[in-house]
Amino acid sequence: MIRFFLFALVLLALSSPCLASSGKVVSVLDGDSITLLHKGKKIRVSLYGIDAPELKQSHGKEARDFLDSFIKNETVEAAPLGKVRKGRMIGTLLLGDDNINELMILNGQAWVDRKACTEKFCTTWIKMEEAAKATKKGLWKDPEVIPPWDFRKSGNKKKTGSPQACSKP
């Protein structure tokens, strides 16, 4: 009985989308989430440890388009990290030797989500974010950019500029 239970558990784990290791990017939903086609099944993936502007927010479409320009229709490796959230796998994306999560930070297209990013490498990502900010890359060109968590909290429904200063999570 125990062997059967262990076998069923292993079988369930192997069929889980959270173990997906590679797939073709079929859509870029926004600056920090995509849909991946893995073994004929679509899997939504949220990029671990980053938070990009919302689409209805200033810089949101730019972040999505930036991500799209790198990975749309490409085959990427997805390395799961963290728990499944809202039915999505959470992980880092690799395209060859490029860590896509890092590219979003380095190019000023996303913040490091300091609440969610708990791995040791997150301190390096924070330094990357600070460098992008110092060189005014991407969204950091806007001196009053609103972080997406503040935008969501305010309940904004339409595209906005930057009426308030940036705050950290």
Side-chain angles (χ1 to χ4, degrees):
M1 183 68 161
I2 292 175
R3 285 185 190 174
F4 174 76
F5 177 74
L6 290 174
F7 175 76
L9 191 60
V10 167
L11 191 59
L12 179 64
L14 290 174
S15 65
S16 169
C18 291
L19 296 177
S21 59
S22 69
K24 183 178 179 179
V25 177
V26 293
S27 67
V28 175
L29 305 170
D30 57 29
D32 54 25
S33 54
I34 66 162
T35 302
L36 191 68
L37 187 63
H38 174 72
K39 296 184 179 179
K41 293 185 180 182
K42 289 184 178 179
I43 301 168
R44 287 186 134 184
V45 180
S46 291
L47 277 66
Y48 173 82
I50 69 170
D51 202 354
E54 298 295 326
L55 288 176
K56 293 182 179 180
Q57 182 180 358
S58 210
H59 308 287
K61 289 182 181 170
E62 292 86 350
R64 181 200 53 208
D65 292 348
F66 183 88
L67 181 59
D68 187 79
S69 72
F70 275 99
I71 63 172
K72 180 85 180 266
N73 296 319
E74 295 287 343
T75 298
V76 297
E77 297 290 325
L81 285 169
K83 298 178 182 177
V84 172
R85 183 181 58 184
K86 297 179 184 177
R88 296 180 182 195
M89 174 183 141
I90 300 171
T92 56
L93 293 181
L94 299 173
L95 178 59
D97 293 333
D98 292 326
N99 181 315
I100 301 303
N101 304 49
E102 288 181 0
L103 286 176
M104 294 299 288
I105 298 164
L106 281 168
N107 289 284
Q109 301 299 323
W111 282 261
V112 176
D113 184 338
R114 286 157 174 79
K115 288 182 182 177
C117 199
T118 58
E119 299 292 326
K120 288 182 181 181
F121 58 77
C122 294
T123 55
T124 302
W125 285 11
I126 291 169
K127 290 176 185 173
M128 291 175 179
E129 178 187 296
E130 290 167 354
K133 188 175 184 178
T135 58
K136 298 185 184 328
K137 286 188 174 180
L139 60 89
W140 298 114
K141 291 176 187 171
D142 183 347
E144 296 180 346
V145 66
I146 300 170
W149 52 88
D150 287 345
F151 181 82
R152 289 187 294 267
K153 206 181 297 180
S154 71
N156 284 310
K157 301 289 183 208
K158 59 184 179 179
K159 187 172 179 171
T160 64
S162 303
Q164 58 184 340
C166 179
S167 63
K168 296 192 178 191

